[in-house]
Amino acid sequence: IFVGYFEDLRDHPQTFLRQIHTFLGLTSPPEAIPEDLNRSVHDGATGDIPREYERILAGLYYNMLVELADSEGGHCVDWLADCESLLDT
């Protein structure tokens, strides 16, 4: 099972695509990775989640984030810190 994170896709798309290629057992020659991979095609909806709803979601997912941060580390630790800061305010 390949586990990838949105932050890695957003911040390092070429590396992310190479990781997928490696996982699938594919070679990753330079021409297989488009140079404009960083180009945004569709930004989607914009706007922030209202703080009240962020706090509700933080409360709902706190225990899961504690487990993920402990077992996976990396981005999950950052997510937990964000969650805890929401719950402290």
Side-chain angles (χ1 to χ4, degrees):
I1 296 174
F2 176 80
V3 176
Y5 295 94
F6 173 76
E7 291 87 346
D8 295 330
L9 175 61
R10 179 194 63 212
D11 299 338
H12 309 286
Q14 288 90 356
T15 301
F16 191 82
L17 186 54
R18 280 189 207 94
Q19 290 171 340
I20 293 171
H21 284 182
T22 299
F23 174 77
L24 294 173
L26 304 172
T27 58
S28 192
E31 63 271 7
I33 310 293
E35 288 184 26
D36 67 345
L37 204 55
N38 288 330
R39 180 177 59 91
S40 179
V41 176
H42 177 56
D43 291 332
T46 58
D48 294 331
I49 298 172
R51 185 65 101 190
E52 173 187 355
Y53 296 123
E54 282 186 319
R55 286 189 186 113
I56 291 169
L57 291 170
L60 288 172
Y61 290 105
Y62 178 76
N63 291 333
M64 184 185 304
L65 287 172
V66 169
E67 290 180 29
L68 278 171
D70 186 48
S71 65
E72 300 298 322
H75 294 297
C76 300
V77 173
D78 298 333
W79 301 342
L80 178 59
D82 291 343
C83 180
E84 289 173 337
S85 71
L86 283 167
L87 294 173
D88 287 341
T89 58

